[in-house]
Amino acid sequence: MRGAFAIVLALAAAPAAAERRQTGSVIYATASRLYLDAGARDGLAPGQMLKLRAGTCRVEEVSDRYATCAGSGRRGDTVLLPVPPAAPVVRRLPAPPPPAVLEQRAAVLASAFFEKVQYHPPPKPPASHTVEVGVGYAGWFSTGAGAWQQERLDAKVTGAPVGKGFTLNVDLSARFWSGRSDPISFRPDDPVQLYVWEANLSRRALYGGPALSLGRVRPWGTPGQPILDGAQAGWRTAGGTEVGVFGGVIPDAVTLAPSFSQGTFGGYWSGLYTGESGSILRYFRHELRLAFVNTSELGQRLEGEGLVEARITRHFDAALDVRLANGDQKAPGSLDAFRFDGALRPVDGLSLIGSFRYQGIAVPELDGPGNVQSGGAAYHADLSLAWDPPPQVIRFSLISGMSSDLSGNGQMRTWFGPELGAPRLFSDHLGASIGYVREEGWEPGQSAWLQLVVRPAILVQVIARVFWSRTSAVSPVNLDELGAYTRVQAQLSPSVALRLSATARTTLNGEDQLFGGNTGQSGTLDAELAGRF
């Protein structure tokens, strides 16, 4: 009895097995890629297709606790993790042979002759790099004006090895305007345009060591620093902290052509920390830039900018970016810009996301050929609330925001509205949402929309939206607009994808008929065939 009682006590004191996560979340999102807070420990592997609330994504790269996923979505979206396979059946091994038999076998092995072979080290694994190429077409069509048509070729090379530990990084786009109609405000004399955002040789060790980039550099860990033609050099510790300097000339802001009339030099400091999945501080990133900058728009200035981003447990994350500057042109209090972004998820299914942006200095804006104007100081704030009650079939959202021009003309704009969505209407192949927004301020109005997300196959997604908007108090009559938008994205193969989007709209201008005498119709078409190798 005592032995049985001890066994019961031991089982009661043993810690419960960790419950496997069923969902993850998007901690950062770009136009075509999502960054997840789940990894190999949660059953993710490259090539898997994951379900989001409004679509799917394909897992690309996986670490123990994080992963990247090719697809579209928003920060804070929930990701359904794969169901773990059933535990394998444990088979008991047969009893070992008697000691006499084991001794006999050992003697046979000891007396055996083995011929020596020459050792050849295994080949080194190929370096991880990607090559992305896209061929696209874009067209703009409108009644009362000529058509605009553009063909483009986009290319991006990331981490291609070239020897001696260096890699090649290129990001460029070549665009040809086969049709444009007057008035042409942006680069009217250049039907062929080449934009190079990055073209450099880099050497960067992930686990510590020297970090060097030469050429057209998109500086690493330097918040607010534009691309430059020059160099960045630093030292990275094994813990992820990097310190270094950078310098060079700044390309033309419009054409990105090399320019020797403006430049910059300075130093930077950056660090990255990732905690365990169950820790309080799961992610922390900090970056700092101090530099002297000389540009044709703002003159000579000393700039300092800092960025801090943190994820605390799985319920809260925030980012803060502040830029200070002093020189030929400066903002009140030397505060150029301030931005705060935050997301709160107090319970599963409920999220609150907001941001605040302040722009304290006039920003140069191109308005027609050779006509540069300066936008005034302004601030912008937005806040959205989303609730997905179990079993996560319906999604309720509220969006709101405000913006104000601080230049003294008193222009302010506010907006607020609800949205009701069903990400999995009837099945995982169909989702729907309907929303309405009312705007007040210097340009009052309202808008409404109905959107469907269709997934006929696991690698195909179709988004269709119809919308209506009305603008008041800016003309003698209400300006109503009706339109439709569709986007098709199909993964033709593991490496090739097709993206197609089109928009059609008609402006009523007080008319009751869609194609009356005062109405105007317009449309856009964008198609791209992209490959990632």
Side-chain angles (χ1 to χ4, degrees):
M1 291 295 293
R2 289 184 178 180
F5 184 68
I7 293 176
V8 171
L9 288 179
L11 293 176
E19 182 180 356
R20 189 179 184 93
R21 297 174 60 192
Q22 297 181 355
T23 61
S25 61
V26 177
I27 61 177
Y28 186 75
T30 64
S32 61
R33 186 167 291 109
L34 307 176
Y35 297 82
L36 313 179
D37 66 350
R41 294 182 178 179
D42 303 294
L44 298 188
Q48 287 178 331
M49 296 301 301
L50 302 181
K51 295 180 181 179
L52 305 170
R53 297 199 182 282
T56 59
C57 68
R58 179 171 58 86
V59 178
E60 296 179 316
E61 300 178 1
V62 177
S63 66
D64 286 345
R65 300 184 300 274
Y66 301 97
T68 60
C69 204
S72 59
R74 298 181 302 178
R75 188 175 67 174
D77 285 351
T78 300
V79 181
L80 298 181
L81 300 179
V83 178
V89 178
V90 178
R91 297 183 179 180
R92 295 184 177 274
L93 297 177
V101 176
L102 295 177
E103 292 179 1
Q104 181 183 5
R105 293 177 180 177
V108 173
L109 291 176
S111 61
F113 173 77
F114 296 95
E115 183 179 357
K116 295 181 179 181
V117 295
Q118 183 67 30
Y119 170 76
H120 297 284
K124 295 182 179 180
S128 175
H129 66 278
T130 59
V131 177
E132 301 178 44
V133 179
V135 179
Y137 165 83
W140 294 263
F141 311 94
S142 177
T143 55
W148 288 55
Q149 300 183 73
Q150 180 196 88
E151 293 76 36
R152 66 180 183 272
L153 173 64
D154 301 325
K156 186 175 182 179
V157 180
T158 304
V162 295
K164 302 296 184 181
F166 282 87
T167 60
L168 175 65
N169 302 279
V170 176
D171 188 3
L172 58 84
S173 178
R175 303 173 183 180
F176 171 64
W177 292 96
S178 56
R180 292 193 291 181
S181 60
D182 291 330
I184 303 173
S185 61
F186 186 76
R187 303 184 66 179
D189 300 325
D190 301 325
V192 180
Q193 301 169 3
L194 175 64
Y195 298 96
V196 180
W197 294 282
E198 189 174 16
N200 61 70
L201 294 176
S202 297
R203 183 172 183 174
R204 182 177 294 277
L206 294 178
Y207 302 102
L212 179 65
S213 296
L214 300 171
R216 173 150 291 184
V217 180
R218 183 180 283 148
W220 175 283
T222 58
Q225 174 60 44
I227 60 177
L228 58 88
D229 294 328
Q232 179 183 16
W235 184 270
R236 185 179 182 87
T237 67
T241 300
E242 184 172 326
V243 179
V245 296
F246 61 90
V249 297
I250 300 177
D252 184 270
V254 175
T255 65
L256 298 186
S259 173
F260 293 97
S261 61
Q262 49 190 13
T264 182
F265 67 87
Y268 69 97
W269 171 47
S270 66
L272 178 65
Y273 166 80
T274 55
E276 298 292 335
S277 59
S279 61
I280 296 179
L281 184 59
R282 299 191 177 186
Y283 178 86
F284 182 73
R285 178 168 69 105
H286 55 88
E287 297 177 355
L288 177 66
R289 171 182 66 99
L290 297 174
F292 170 80
V293 184
N294 180 20
T295 61
S296 57
E297 296 87 1
L298 300 177
Q300 299 182 7
R301 307 199 312 161
L302 291 176
E303 294 184 358
E305 184 163 353
L307 168 67
V308 177
E309 183 178 0
R311 182 176 179 87
I312 302 173
T313 68
R314 58 189 297 266
H315 301 291
F316 178 71
D317 57 79
L320 176 66
D321 192 325
V322 180
R323 182 170 71 244
L324 302 172
N326 196 355
D328 291 343
Q329 294 192 37
K330 67 176 183 178
S334 298
L335 180 59
D336 260 14
F338 173 92
R339 175 162 184 164
F340 174 80
D341 297 275
L344 177 64
R345 293 171 291 274
V347 295
D348 288 343
L350 180 64
S351 62
L352 186 66
I353 301 175
S355 69
F356 175 82
R357 300 191 299 273
Y358 166 78
Q359 183 70 40
I361 192 170
V363 179
E365 299 174 352
L366 184 65
D367 185 19
N371 184 17
V372 179
Q373 297 183 352
S374 295
Y379 70 82
H380 174 103
D382 60 75
L383 182 66
S384 64
L385 173 69
W387 180 40
D388 296 87
Q392 299 179 342
V393 177
I394 301 295
R395 179 185 179 95
F396 300 95
S397 301
L398 290 174
I399 58 177
S400 63
M402 65 180 301
S403 62
S404 177
D405 190 336
L406 302 178
S407 60
N409 55 20
Q411 289 185 344
M412 176 179 285
R413 174 172 167 262
T414 61
W415 61 93
F416 176 83
E419 183 180 29
L420 175 64
R424 298 175 182 84
L425 186 63
F426 303 123
S427 70
D428 290 340
H429 298 292
L430 179 64
S433 63
I434 184 171
Y436 171 83
V437 170
R438 184 171 184 84
E439 302 178 34
E440 300 291 347
W442 70 276
E443 191 179 49
Q446 50 191 320
S447 59
W449 66 91
L450 171 64
Q451 177 173 292
L452 296 177
V453 180
V454 185
R455 296 174 287 272
I458 194 172
L459 298 179
V460 179
Q461 178 174 279
V462 180
I463 299 176
R465 171 186 287 224
V466 293
F467 57 88
W468 161 81
S469 65
R470 167 173 290 180
T471 303
S472 307
V474 296
S475 69
V477 297
N478 291 327
L479 301 179
D480 292 279
E481 184 176 279
L482 298 175
Y485 167 82
T486 184
R487 175 179 173 85
V488 180
Q489 181 167 329
Q491 196 71 33
L492 305 181
S493 72
S495 302
V496 180
L498 174 65
R499 305 182 185 98
L500 177 67
S501 63
T503 303
R505 56 177 60 183
T506 177
T507 303
L508 299 182
N509 296 331
E511 292 268 357
D512 295 329
Q513 300 178 355
L514 293 180
F515 302 100
N518 294 327
T519 65
Q521 290 78 40
S522 62
T524 64
L525 176 64
D526 191 286
E528 182 181 31
L529 187 64
R532 188 173 188 269
F533 311 96

